[in-house]
Amino acid sequence: MQDTPHIPVMLDEVLSNLNIKDNGVYVDGTFGNGGYTSAILDAKNTKVIAFDRDETVLFKVNELKSKYGERFIFFQEKFSQILPTLLKNGIGGVDGLVLDIGVSSMQIDTPERGFSFRFDAPLSMAMGKNDLDAKEVINNFSESELSDIFYKYGEEPRSRAIAKRIVSIRGQKPVLTTFELVGIIKNLVGEWQASKVIPRIFQALRIYVNDELGELENVLKDSEQILKSGGRLVVVDFHSLEDRIVKNFIKSKTEVKQTLSRYIPTNIENNKKLSFKSVNKNAIIPSRREVEMNYRAHSAKLRVVEKA
Ligand SMILES: C[S@@+](CC[C@H](N)C(=O)[O-])C[C@H]1O[C@@H](n2cnc3c(N)ncnc32)[C@H](O)[C@@H]1O
């Protein structure tokens, strides 16, 4: 495994928006390299329950366990499993839930995991606890399924042509590596276009293989039960598909719409209780200085709400 440390994105903003208190209990749904977890544990006398689906984070988990002892608990689980896991372990509402969506630098920079089109590796892209990998999708899914995946999760205008070409090539020989897939795309769209198309196709496959958007929708829905009253939900996301889900969720849970009587507040679906209060109307973005120091932060958006 390549030893690329993951630099936590918008760390100061995450800490201040989580509103960390002494004796507070916080859930870090995307442990990664433990950047947020360590900072929450260092900030005050807190407890952190962390989750990550990827077993390769366990070396860092062990390091933090020996440093923080019982103040730190870890589950190798998907974040859609946070609520059932907490309930199973008798853990009630927590003071904060933070999610830093997407892949870590360690994952993307480890060639053999197949996340990156910069390295030749088996087509995998599985983050952990997966039902399938990219090799299976590319070689077994129908042309229209592939085209839908590229269009929906990569917003790729040439999704149909790319799917058609993949199906034709795999009829002669299975497509097994990242560079084979890169070669097929380059051949079809040309070197110049390929620099835009390849990242979109890889993003689409990664999102699909890991059901990233479904995972996000599930944890957001569960956050109402995960948090206690006054608890904060802080989400850092990195692309428009994720951000749309977070923004719409927050809107549906916080926005007051005028009804027939202007004295009765309801949310968009009418008469449902508003379960969250808005903390920041707009997304918070990283400072120019942070982006200069860590380019990965350039597309980050932080959104925060408080359980009512
Ligand atoms: C961007 S990194 C988090 C970095 C972390 N905030 C830090 O400061 O070190 C995202 C992590 O979330 C994990 N992850 C992504 N989707 C997940 C999911 N649905 N359930 C659990 N973990 C997930 C990935 O495996 C990865 O380790």
Side-chain angles (χ1 to χ4, degrees):
M1 166 166 162
Q2 188 133 338
D3 193 15
T4 312
H6 180 95
I7 306 168
V9 171
M10 299 181 81
L11 183 57
D12 292 343
E13 293 86 344
V14 164
L15 292 180
S16 60
N17 282 288
L18 269 177
N19 198 14
I20 297 175
K21 301 185 201 97
D22 260 335
N23 302 316
V25 179
Y26 298 87
V27 171
D28 179 351
T30 49
F31 176 80
N33 199 37
Y36 292 174
T37 290
S38 311
I40 297 167
L41 288 162
D42 288 338
K44 295 260 165 79
N45 182 26
T46 54
K47 198 167 176 176
V48 173
I49 306 158
F51 291 76
D52 203 297
R53 62 192 295 173
D54 187 348
E55 67 177 352
T56 69
V57 306
L58 290 175
F59 80 98
K60 194 72 191 178
V61 167
N62 291 334
E63 200 181 302
L64 265 61
K65 275 195 174 153
S66 51
K67 181 165 178 199
Y68 297 102
E70 288 179 356
R71 292 176 58 207
F72 169 58
I73 303 172
F74 177 80
F75 295 98
Q76 195 213 328
E77 278 297 349
K78 296 194 248 186
F79 51 59
S80 58
Q81 298 308 304
I82 293 176
L83 181 61
T85 308
L86 295 183
L87 292 175
K88 207 165 85 189
N89 287 277
I91 303 170
V94 301
D95 298 277
L97 165 62
V98 61
L99 300 164
D100 181 11
I101 308 296
V103 269
S104 66
S105 307
M106 292 88 67
Q107 289 168 328
I108 204 107
D109 293 337
T110 302
E112 58 271 24
R113 301 201 60 175
F115 284 108
S116 173
F117 47 81
R118 291 179 291 126
F119 308 118
D120 194 14
L123 268 179
S124 168
M125 304 194 194
M127 284 186 188
K129 300 220 154 220
N130 287 73
D131 297 328
L132 81 172
D133 62 10
K135 178 162 50 62
E136 205 174 320
V137 176
I138 288 291
N139 290 288
N140 297 330
F141 280 35
S142 71
E143 188 177 320
S144 68
E145 284 170 327
L146 285 177
S147 165
D148 283 353
I149 291 169
F150 300 153
Y151 190 71
K152 202 166 156 195
Y153 303 122
E155 300 178 292
E156 172 49 53
R158 300 188 65 179
S159 57
R160 283 192 193 181
I162 296 165
K164 191 168 179 199
R165 179 63 66 91
I166 289 170
V167 170
S168 144
I169 302 273
R170 80 183 188 198
Q172 299 150 34
K173 179 184 158 301
V175 181
L176 301 177
T177 68
T178 49
F179 276 12
E180 282 171 29
L181 181 59
V182 164
I184 293 170
I185 300 167
K186 273 191 184 160
N187 220 293
L188 179 72
V189 303
E191 220 31 81
W192 170 252
Q193 283 292 318
S195 62
K196 287 192 197 123
V197 177
I198 291 165
R200 296 201 283 250
I201 297 300
F202 272 63
Q203 171 185 297
L205 282 170
R206 196 199 83 202
I207 291 178
Y208 185 80
V209 161
N210 295 290
D211 185 22
E212 291 183 31
L213 304 185
E215 278 288 306
L216 181 57
E217 278 165 359
N218 279 323
V219 71
L220 291 177
K221 180 168 60 61
D222 288 352
S223 65
E224 287 185 69
Q225 279 176 272
I226 293 170
L227 291 165
K228 63 154 83 145
S229 179
R232 293 272 179 102
L233 168 66
V234 175
V235 185
V236 179
D237 62 51
F238 292 86
H239 61 74
S240 57
L241 297 172
E242 295 164 345
D243 195 52
R244 200 174 306 151
I245 292 174
V246 180
K247 204 165 73 179
N248 288 341
F249 171 80
I250 292 180
K251 203 168 158 197
S252 75
K253 298 293 174 186
T254 57
E255 205 160 82
V256 174
K257 195 186 161 201
Q258 211 74 47
T259 56
L260 286 178
S261 161
R262 63 199 168 94
Y263 300 107
I264 307 171
T266 67
N267 78 342
I268 285 159
E269 291 153 316
N270 272 341
N271 296 326
K272 270 197 194 158
K273 237 178 80 204
L274 297 174
S275 40
F276 285 95
K277 285 193 292 197
S278 182
V279 175
N280 253 78
K281 198 165 163 15
N282 296 318
I284 301 168
I285 56 169
S287 65
R288 236 184 38 213
R289 196 176 130 74
E290 174 167 2
V291 176
E292 275 165 20
M293 286 166 61
N294 178 18
Y295 183 71
R296 190 179 176 271
H298 79 282
S299 60
K301 284 197 172 136
L302 184 154
R303 295 189 185 271
V304 53
V305 275
E306 186 173 301
K307 174 89 184 284

